[in-house]
Amino acid sequence: MKRTEGLYISLDSCKKDFPTLKRKIYGKKLVYLDSAATSLKPETVINSVTDFYTNHNANIHRGVYLMSQEATSLYEKTREKLKNFFNVPPYGEIVYTSGTTEAINLVASSWGKANLKKGDTVILSGMEHHSNIVPWQLVAKERGAVLKYIPVTDGGELDLDEYIKFLKEEPVKIVAVNHISNVLGTVNPVKDIVKLAHKKGALALIDGAQSAPHISVDIKAIDPDFYTVSGHKMLGPTGTGFLYSRKQLLNAMSPYKSGGDMIEEVTLESAIWNEIPYKFEAGTQNIAGFAALGAAVDYLEGIGMERIAGHGKLLSKKAREVLSSIEGIKFYGREEGSAGGVVSFTIKGAHPHDIGTILDLEGIAVRTGHHCAQPLMARLGVPATARASFYIYNDEKDIERLFNGLKKVMEVLKLGS
Ligand SMILES: Cc1ncc(COP(=O)(O)O)c(C=O)c1O
C-alpha cells in the first residue's frame, strides 16, 4: 500500500508507549480500533495508578497525615491541569464525575428539575449518544417539558436552519448537543450553536466525550454553560470525567448526590453544603483514577492537540479511501475524514456483528452495533454499523490490517465476486 505523507507518520513512535498493543489476540498482534468507546492507556498513566496505590493510598480531604495530604494534592493537581488544558475561565469550575454520562445526568437532574417547567422546550439533536437523550427524557417527563431534535441532514450535519426555527418558535430553556458525533465523526459548530442559544436566553450544554480526546477544546472561547468530558476516552482511567460549568450556575444548583465530603455541616435536622466543586463530589471518589488522569493530560500535551486532530482526520480519510474497494461497503459520515477519527460502515449482506466477530479472530478490535445512538441509526436507515475508530497509536499499517481483515470477512461470508 502506498504510504501517505502526513502529520500522522511522525506519531508511529507512540505505539511503544501503550503496553496493551503488545498483546496477541488469537495469536495475532492486536490492532485496536475502538478508541471512541475507550482509549488505550499509556504506560505513564498505568504507572501513575500503580504509584498511587503503592505509595499514596489514602482518602482525600479528611486526613491530617502526610499520605492523605499527598493523595489530596494529586487529586487536586489534575483539576488544575484540566482547567489549563481546556482553557477554563476564572469564572468556571470543573466537577469530577465518572464520565460524560454522569455529568449530563447531574445537569438534567440538578438543573433540569429546578428550572424546567410544563411546556418548556429542551433542544437535542438527532445525532446524540443515549447519554444525552435519556436523562433529558426522564426530566422532561417529570416536569412536563418538551424535547425537540435538530434533524441530521443527508450529509451527516446538523440542520442549523431547523435549529434556528426551533429557537424562534419554541420556549427553549436549554440546548444540549455533542461536539463530535461518535458515529459520523461530524464536528458540530458548537460556538455558533451556543451563541444562538444565548441570544434566545437559553442555556447550552456541549457533550465533549468525543472532542476532548481529539481536538483542542477551548471552553472559554466556546462559552458553554455546561461542557462534559470522559477522561477514559482521552487516555485516562475508566471512571473519570468531569462537568464544566460557570461557578454562578453551580452555586445555584442543588447537589446531585449526597453524603460525605459534600457537606460543610450536618445536624440531625439538616445540612449545609460544602463549597463547589465539592458540593457535587459526594463519597469517596476514584482518587487513583483522577491522579492518573493528570498523566494523561501531560501525555496529550506532549504530542499537541493540533497534531492529534490532524492524525485522526488523515487516518479516517485514508481508511475510507483504502476500504472503498471492498464490494458492497457503505460509509456513514464525512468523506474527507474527521478529526474524531471514526469510520462507520456497513457491508451489503454482512451483519455488523459478524464483521466484528471475524475481525476479532484476525486480532482487530472494532465496535459493532448501534453505538448507543439508536435514533441516529433510525435516521441512517440501518439497525447497526461497524465502526473503526482511530487514535494516536494507530497508523497506516492498522488500516492495511483492517482491509485484509475485511477481505477475510468477505471470504468467510462468501460475499462479493
Ligand atoms: C458522544 C458521546 N457522548 C457520551 C458518551 C458517554 O460517555 P461515558 O460512557 O464516558 O459516560 C459517549 C461514549 O461513547 C459518547 O461517544
Side-chain angles (χ1 to χ4, degrees), residues 339-393:
V342 297
V343 177
S344 287
F345 61 92
T346 51
I347 296 175
K348 199 166 177 224
H351 193 285
H353 288 317
D354 291 337
I355 297 175
T357 306
I358 297 165
L359 287 177
D360 181 42
L361 293 171
E362 296 299 305
I364 303 160
V366 298
R367 187 141 296 243
T368 58
H370 52 61
H371 315 294
C372 295
Q374 280 181 316
L376 178 58
M377 292 293 123
R379 169 69 180 89
L380 299 174
V382 289
T385 70
R387 181 188 70 188
S389 52
F390 297 91
Y391 203 26
I392 49 178
Y393 33 73

Side-chain angles (χ1 to χ4, degrees), residues 36-38 98-104 127-132 178-183 207-210 228-233 240 371-372 387:
T38 196
S98 63
T100 291
T101 303
E102 193 189 17
I104 296 174
M127 61 167 81
E128 296 311 309
H129 188 280
H130 294 165
S131 65
N132 197 25
N178 63 45
H179 197 159
I180 298 186
S181 159
N182 63 318
V183 176
D207 167 355
Q210 296 298 337
T228 65
V229 168
S230 295
H232 68 97
K233 293 183 199 285
T240 65
H371 315 294
C372 295
R387 181 188 70 188

